[in-house]
Amino acid sequence: MILTCGEALIDMVADETRAGVPAFVPHCGGAVMNTAVALGRLGVPTGFFAGLSRDLFGAQLRAHLDASHVNHTLCPFSDAPTTLAFVQLENGQAKYAFFDENTALRSLRPSDIPALPTNVDALFFGGISLAYGPCADTYEQMMQAAAQSHVTMLDPNIRPGFIRDEAAFRARMARMIAQTDILKLSDEDLEWLEGEGDIAELAQGLLAKGPSLVLITQGSKGATGYHANFSVHVPTVPVDLSNSDTIGAGDTFNAGVLASLHGARLLTKSALTALARDAGETALAFGMQTARITVSRKGANPPWAHELD
């Protein structure tokens, strides 16, 4: 099983009523939940770990996980509210305003860390859950405890406006990058972490810090994988965003990559260290294929396995 560790929240997406009145529609979201849902829909045994609320939105999130075959029995529940992210779209690109103070997500603590089930062979971490607060410390401790014996993947999904202590966040990212086997960054994340420069050189520098595989996505330009033995680029297929958006695209890409590696029995530390170029290219291509379907429709709505046949 792949255990996904990070935020679940409600995306309040800007829309309008039939009468043309502006409105916000609640959609289940959060970067890590999106990855969990995409994995579950692709038929990969998947678990999810985060603080969940007992409120009406928490019930909506649990139903969403259930419908996508994601196990959430490890999640602690509280009476704290669910995190809300109000989303407005500009040319198909999502802009967010978060309401996250004293929420079930942010209140997660190290004492909530569960014993890992024996069937967990990989863990995924990322998103705004790593930005600050007790939950960020919790997930870092969880990764450090698991990294010696389990494959880990990290996607920081950096939102600079969400970070309260930049120095502390950068230090946390440096420690987690050193522990992870697969690191995924957007080109914007890469520049924020490492500064301006040649993407290939910056990615190679990150490889030297610990990961076996570094994945860099560049929106419409596609994605590139960097490994000690190779680098490989996979282009994207253009999508008309006039009636869709990019919400959940990177999260679905992560799921596609993990699903491909899982299906090929390559989610072990030794297999990732010795990963062949063909297997890396196949994983990136599947990640792009799954993300393209998500981008072709509104909201974070990852594809089911039968849609990729």
Side-chain angles (χ1 to χ4, degrees):
M1 182 173 76
I2 298 175
L3 182 61
T4 56
C5 310
E7 72 271 7
L9 53 83
I10 295 293
D11 285 325
M12 303 294 288
V13 181
D15 206 330
E16 61 179 36
T17 68
R18 291 181 179 178
V21 178
F24 285 91
V25 179
H27 294 270
C28 295
V32 178
M33 170 175 266
N34 293 340
T35 296
V37 166
L39 281 167
R41 292 182 179 185
L42 291 172
V44 178
T46 306
F48 180 72
F49 174 68
L52 293 178
S53 174
R54 296 187 183 94
D55 65 14
L56 75 164
F57 291 126
Q60 181 177 339
L61 293 171
R62 293 194 300 275
H64 186 54
L65 289 167
D66 288 335
S68 297
H69 312 302
V70 178
N71 184 300
H72 53 81
T73 56
L74 297 178
C75 295
F77 295 89
S78 74
D79 293 326
T82 297
T83 297
L84 302 180
F86 283 78
V87 188
Q88 290 187 309
L89 302 174
E90 296 178 9
N91 299 319
Q93 301 294 320
K95 304 295 182 182
Y96 295 86
F98 290 92
F99 292 79
D100 190 35
E101 201 69 36
N102 299 316
T103 61
L105 160 67
R106 200 56 60 188
S107 301
L108 188 73
R109 297 185 179 277
S111 58
D112 294 315
I113 296 175
L116 291 182
T118 57
N119 63 335
V120 172
D121 49 15
L123 296 91
F124 174 86
F125 297 88
I128 64 169
S129 56
L130 302 178
Y132 68 91
C135 67
D137 297 332
T138 299
Y139 287 125
E140 182 184 354
Q141 288 187 34
M142 193 173 179
M143 174 186 265
Q144 289 176 342
Q148 297 305 311
S149 54
H150 296 73
V151 167
T152 60
M153 180 174 179
L154 172 66
D155 176 7
N157 198 20
I158 298 168
R159 302 189 186 284
F162 211 78
I163 298 167
R164 295 187 173 183
D165 184 335
E166 183 175 324
F169 178 77
R170 287 184 177 277
R172 179 180 296 112
M173 287 301 99
R175 294 190 296 268
M176 295 185 78
I177 287 170
Q179 294 284 332
T180 199
D181 298 290
I182 305 172
L183 173 64
K184 180 263 184 177
L185 299 167
S186 69
D187 50 356
E188 293 179 348
D189 292 341
L190 177 64
E191 182 175 335
W192 191 91
L193 276 176
E194 300 295 307
E196 295 182 357
D198 178 75
I199 288 179
E201 291 181 3
L202 295 175
Q204 293 290 343
L206 287 169
L207 273 180
K209 296 180 180 181
S212 294
L213 181 63
V214 174
L215 309 175
I216 307 296
T217 57
Q218 294 178 265
S220 62
K221 296 180 181 178
T224 307
Y226 298 88
H227 188 274
N229 301 329
F230 64 84
S231 64
V232 60
H233 178 77
V234 174
T236 189
V237 177
V239 176
D240 181 5
L241 292 174
S242 60
N243 194 39
S244 60
D245 55 62
T246 60
I247 298 174
D251 312 324
T252 307
F253 171 82
N254 292 335
V257 169
L258 285 171
S260 177
L261 294 172
H262 175 270
R265 300 182 182 275
L266 294 173
L267 276 183
T268 67
K269 288 181 174 292
S270 59
L272 288 173
T273 299
L275 191 68
R277 185 185 189 280
D278 287 350
E281 184 173 18
T282 296
L284 263 71
F286 192 65
M288 295 299 291
Q289 183 184 4
T290 55
R292 182 181 182 277
I293 294 178
T294 298
V295 170
S296 71
R297 49 205 189 191
K298 286 189 175 182
N301 185 8
W304 294 84
H306 68 82
E307 295 181 86
L308 296 164
D309 294 338

